[in-house]
Amino acid sequence: MAAPLEILTAPLPAETDPGDIDAYMAGGGYGAVRKALKSMSQTELIEEINASGIKGRGGAGFSTGMKWNLCADRFPRYLCANADESEPGSFKDRHLLEAKPHQIIEGMIITSYALGINLGYIYIRGEFFQIIDQMEAALEDARKHGFLGADILGTGYDLELYVHPGAGAYICGEETGLIESLEGNRPYPRLKPPFFPAAIGLWGQPTIVNNVETMAQIATIVDMGAEAYKQIGSEDDTTGPRLFGLCGHVKKPGIYEYDSDVTLRELIYDAAGGIRDDNRLKGVIPGGISAPILTPEEIDTPMGFGALGKLGSMGGTGGIIVMDETTSMVDALLNASSFAAHESCGQCTPCREGVPWMNDILRRIRNGQGRDEDLDLLLDICKQIHGHTVCVFGQAPGVWPVRTILVKYWPEFRACIERKELVVPPLEESYLRPDQYEHIPPVPGNFRLKTEEADAAG
Amino acid sequence: MATPLEFTEAARERAAKILDRYPAEYRKSAVVPLLHLAQEEWGHVSPEAMACVARLIGCSPVKVAEIATFYPMFNREPVGEHVLAVCHTLPCALTGCGSVFDHLSEKLGIGLGETTADGRFTLRKSECLAACDRGPVLLVNRRLHTHVSPEKVDEILTELEKG
Ligand SMILES: Cc1cc2nc3c(=O)[nH]c(=O)nc-3n(C[C@H](O)[C@H](O)[C@H](O)COP(=O)(O)O)c2cc1C
Ligand code: SF4
Ligand code: FES
């Protein structure tokens, strides 16, 4: 059994207000900033982050070191810390924002210093009212203590960081949507490639967009050193501590910190205490609503980004949604699809039209009016959206939940159509076994049935 | 044409601080925070409020309208004194948000998106509020309530009636 970690979740001294900078400093806080600014050069810092092997925690699992190295050699450069956390099933960023605002600020200061950035923003979703207030106060305190502003710690380095609030749109979490939002435009994502934010970002300048947990981890890396950091987890997959959020039908929902070698089974049955009422597991979404679902036979996987990718799923945000045998997968998918239909930004046609269309079809299946051709039609619409949109939203959360829940729980969807009502078949009859569908690499979430039905659907 | 709105002195000071966060040539970046400020002042963002924000930024009102109409958090019509939003995405659905919404709807005698006749309450649904481990969750104005049950809804409503 993997052992829980207490690195990011290390408790603050009892009775301490998480925003209280003096208490944070008494516990060694802002030590990473001092170490970085006083004793490390920019090159050394970038090398340290590279050596740590850290992959970004915003969802894509992209190497942070590589992102920093891609930053174009132009100034000014800007930093945007992404605290838009709106992916259903994800709540680790809220946890960190509530519990460790100063650690996030530390990471932002170190990142800015390493990359020669003098102005940065933390983009916090608008519904996080209390978090926004707390973060603004924390930034003010950091400024008063000389960690922000002009000539930080007497090093001659200047930095200003501000909160920028969102206003309820999921698409602002996508990095180029975030930048458009920050510029005061409609947050329509930008087409990439050719230009990524590290080349042309905020106000046309090189911009680093990193998730807030990534920011907190940067402080951890500087604190413990890359050498120690990469001992956590595995170097050939994902290094460093991870925050896994378990929710849905588990006995003890919450945030659990482990390395990436922990298996999904261990997280569900050991960390989170197993399934409510000791029911049997029906399916689990391992990294936020966009991550392709896994069936009960597939949960002995480690949680690294690479390992989950091999299964045709993804690490995503580490938000794990557990569903027991009483769950209607038709209802669950309809819910996921309604979210996507509501949040499509509307910029491009396949997503704006296709995602709500799939939602309509799923709703009629759920209401007992599904047609024989509906499942094939859904797969066909998936194919038409996939890869044909401006941003990844079209796929995740647009296509992947539909394609993967539909393919894996095909018998349950068929039963609803045939019996013209919502049915939850016995667990054994509700889903296919891994040898009955195949994963089409390299795109995660692309599953194909191995049945004649699928061949007909193409 | 309705009478133009003007921010109070205190709000104008806050607006100036907000504008200070962005380089002088990119004042438009302040549009979302300024719309939040306007909504705090007047409860919703009317065309007059948008014009007021536009004057502060120095852009045309239609530019502000383009933004205000995109984001779900900006109310374009007056809302109740208390806005209640039940999270209804998958994790909260798995933990029973449906019964919370139905109970609220019955107690208040209003449906989705409606406001009670006395202007006290508006009922909404929200998408994931990033507290899925503590569902079902309910956002009451600026405050998040977790582990909400029909009984807890009654307590929350009693509390609001008093306040
Ligand atoms: C539709 C969509 C929504 C996203 N939402 C978020 C989000 O809320 N928070 C976040 O950190 N990243 C989000 N991302 C990922 C960002 O685009 C970006 O990859 C990330 O912030 C980079 O940070 P990282 O490298 O530290 O992971 C989203 C991506 C997409 C396609
Ligand atoms: S894929 Fe969807 S969310 Fe992304 S730009 Fe197109 S319409 Fe907007
Ligand atoms: S689904 Fe309700 S808080 Fe996440």
Side-chain angles (χ1 to χ4, degrees):
Chain A
M1 169 63 202
L5 300 173
E6 241 184 34
I7 300 169
L8 293 170
T9 53
L12 295 168
E15 318 260 321
T16 311
D17 163 12
D20 182 343
I21 192 167
D22 294 314
Y24 182 70
M25 287 171 66
Y30 284 95
V33 165
R34 277 181 209 283
K35 181 171 170 188
L37 269 62
K38 293 259 199 195
S39 70
M40 295 174 80
S41 71
Q42 293 178 309
T43 324
E44 276 170 347
L45 264 174
I46 296 174
E47 273 168 16
E48 188 79 355
I49 299 309
N50 253 324
S52 74
I54 180 175
K55 291 179 175 168
R57 304 301 203 237
F62 188 77
S63 154
T64 305
M66 195 181 299
K67 183 180 285 187
W68 289 15
N69 280 322
L70 289 172
C71 198
D73 193 17
R74 288 194 295 133
F75 294 87
R77 294 166 165 179
Y78 300 107
L79 172 69
C80 299
N82 191 342
D84 193 52
E85 187 170 59
S86 316
E87 170 96 355
S90 309
F91 45 95
K92 56 156 185 104
D93 293 342
R94 172 196 281 278
H95 172 85
L96 273 177
L97 288 156
E98 284 177 350
K100 301 279 170 70
H102 284 293
Q103 187 171 342
I104 293 169
I105 297 173
E106 273 201 272
M108 290 179 71
I109 297 172
I110 295 165
T111 305
S112 301
Y113 168 74
L115 295 165
I117 291 168
N118 303 108
L119 177 60
Y121 297 90
I122 173 165
Y123 189 107
I124 308 184
R125 65 179 292 191
E127 297 91 336
F128 282 0
F129 295 102
Q130 284 141 341
I131 288 171
I132 289 174
D133 291 348
Q134 175 172 283
M135 184 55 77
E136 283 186 337
L139 286 170
E140 196 46 48
D141 285 345
R143 204 164 284 134
K144 281 191 198 131
H145 280 74
F147 298 119
L148 288 174
D151 190 19
I152 296 170
L153 302 176
T155 57
Y157 171 61
D158 308 336
L159 173 66
E160 288 299 345
L161 297 178
Y162 300 105
V163 170
H164 184 92
Y170 170 76
I171 201 58
C172 294
E174 197 281 336
E175 55 186 7
T176 59
L178 183 152
I179 287 171
E180 289 290 336
S181 175
L182 226 164
E183 290 186 356
N185 303 322
R186 281 201 159 210
Y188 290 147
R190 300 174 181 172
L191 199 60
K192 24 163 223 190
F195 300 115
F196 291 84
I200 299 181
L202 183 60
W203 302 314
Q205 293 301 117
T207 301
I208 291 297
V209 183
N210 268 136
N211 171 262
V212 282
E213 184 197 332
T214 310
M215 289 292 96
Q217 298 245 11
I218 295 298
T220 302
I221 294 168
V222 170
D223 247 337
M224 63 165 58
E227 204 43 54
Y229 182 90
K230 71 179 182 197
Q231 303 303 318
I232 305 167
S234 51
E235 244 185 284
D236 50 7
D237 193 322
T238 308
T239 58
R242 299 282 304 278
L243 293 179
F244 297 108
L246 281 111
C247 65
H249 296 151
V250 285
K251 287 183 183 161
K252 294 186 292 176
I255 293 284
Y256 297 93
E257 185 177 1
Y258 283 86
D259 66 31
S260 288
D261 294 340
V262 68
T263 68
L264 190 48
R265 181 183 299 281
E266 288 171 322
L267 284 172
I268 297 170
Y269 287 95
D270 300 328
I275 315 266
R276 67 161 185 195
D277 304 331
D278 292 322
N279 285 344
R280 287 179 300 168
L281 176 70
K282 182 161 181 176
V284 48
I285 297 176
I289 202 81
S290 301
I293 196 163
L294 298 173
T295 54
E297 278 74 13
E298 298 171 304
I299 63 170
D300 289 300
T301 171
M303 290 300 291
F305 287 99
L308 285 166
K310 277 192 209 110
L311 273 181
S313 186
M314 62 184 207
T317 60
I320 300 171
I321 309 170
V322 177
M323 289 171 273
D324 74 9
E325 57 189 315
T326 67
T327 313
S328 158
M329 282 298 164
V330 178
D331 257 342
L333 179 55
L334 176 62
N335 187 304
S337 149
S338 302
F339 169 78
H342 187 252
E343 288 300 334
S344 165
C345 83
Q347 182 181 198
C348 54
T349 312
C351 171
R352 180 186 62 238
E353 302 296 328
V355 173
W357 184 15
M358 295 198 293
N359 187 241
D360 289 344
I361 297 170
L362 287 163
R363 181 162 291 106
R364 76 173 176 241
I365 296 174
R366 194 240 169 264
N367 291 338
Q369 290 151 353
R371 304 171 194 162
D372 269 344
E373 65 274 20
D374 275 350
L375 301 189
D376 294 342
L377 180 58
L378 282 168
L379 289 182
D380 188 52
I381 300 170
C382 284
K383 210 160 62 177
Q384 293 186 51
I385 300 173
H386 206 283
H388 301 145
T389 56
V390 171
C391 84
V392 180
F393 181 101
Q395 275 109 273
V399 165
W400 295 344
V402 178
R403 180 144 201 170
T404 62
I405 295 179
L406 189 61
V407 166
K408 292 191 177 182
Y409 297 84
W410 192 266
E412 182 165 339
F413 284 83
R414 291 274 357 144
C416 282
I417 292 179
E418 276 155 23
R419 302 196 359 216
K420 299 204 180 309
E421 60 175 344
L422 185 72
V423 283
V424 182
L427 183 61
E428 296 72 17
E429 293 162 29
S430 68
Y431 68 100
L432 302 178
R433 303 305 180 271
D435 58 358
Q436 291 173 293
Y437 50 83
E438 60 190 331
H439 165 222
I440 317 168
V443 188
N446 240 340
F447 293 100
R448 183 165 56 197
L449 283 175
K450 279 188 180 166
T451 63
E452 284 156 31
E453 269 158 321
D455 291 341
Chain B
M1 181 73 195
T3 349
L5 286 174
E6 234 0 293
F7 276 125
T8 58
E9 191 53 39
R12 271 212 300 279
E13 270 173 36
R14 285 178 63 195
K17 280 209 182 117
I18 289 171
L19 281 159
D20 272 349
R21 297 175 186 170
Y22 309 95
E25 61 272 45
Y26 302 116
R27 292 169 74 86
K28 203 174 70 172
S29 285
V31 61
V32 166
L34 290 177
L35 282 166
H36 278 301
L37 185 67
Q39 183 150 300
E40 261 182 60
E41 287 279 286
W42 299 300
H44 71 291
V45 285
S46 60
E48 293 72 35
M50 293 180 204
C52 182
V53 169
R55 281 197 299 280
L56 279 175
I57 292 175
C59 67
S60 76
V62 71
K63 283 278 168 211
V64 176
E66 199 188 355
I67 305 306
T69 53
F70 184 88
Y71 291 98
M73 278 183 76
F74 297 128
N75 310 320
R76 280 151 52 219
E77 301 290 334
V79 291
E81 196 183 327
H82 302 294
V83 179
L84 306 157
V86 182
C87 174
H88 73 127
T89 29
L90 186 56
C92 279
L94 294 173
T95 48
C97 66
S99 61
V100 171
F101 182 87
D102 293 346
H103 187 73
L104 260 173
S105 175
E106 194 181 310
K107 280 283 258 202
L108 298 173
I110 50 174
L112 181 60
E114 292 175 355
T115 300
T116 51
D118 60 3
R120 295 271 285 155
F121 300 101
T122 298
L123 181 58
R124 286 187 178 161
K125 283 184 178 173
S126 138
E127 279 159 0
C128 182
L129 291 163
C132 325
D133 53 337
R134 292 172 277 170
V137 305
L138 169 69
L139 190 64
V140 180
N141 306 320
R142 294 164 65 92
R143 185 159 164 228
L144 187 75
H145 293 265
T146 57
H147 300 295
V148 178
S149 57
E151 298 74 53
K152 200 161 163 189
V153 161
D154 292 343
E155 284 167 32
I156 294 167
L157 287 180
T158 318
E159 197 64 25
L160 291 174
E161 295 286 3
K162 270 194 253 156

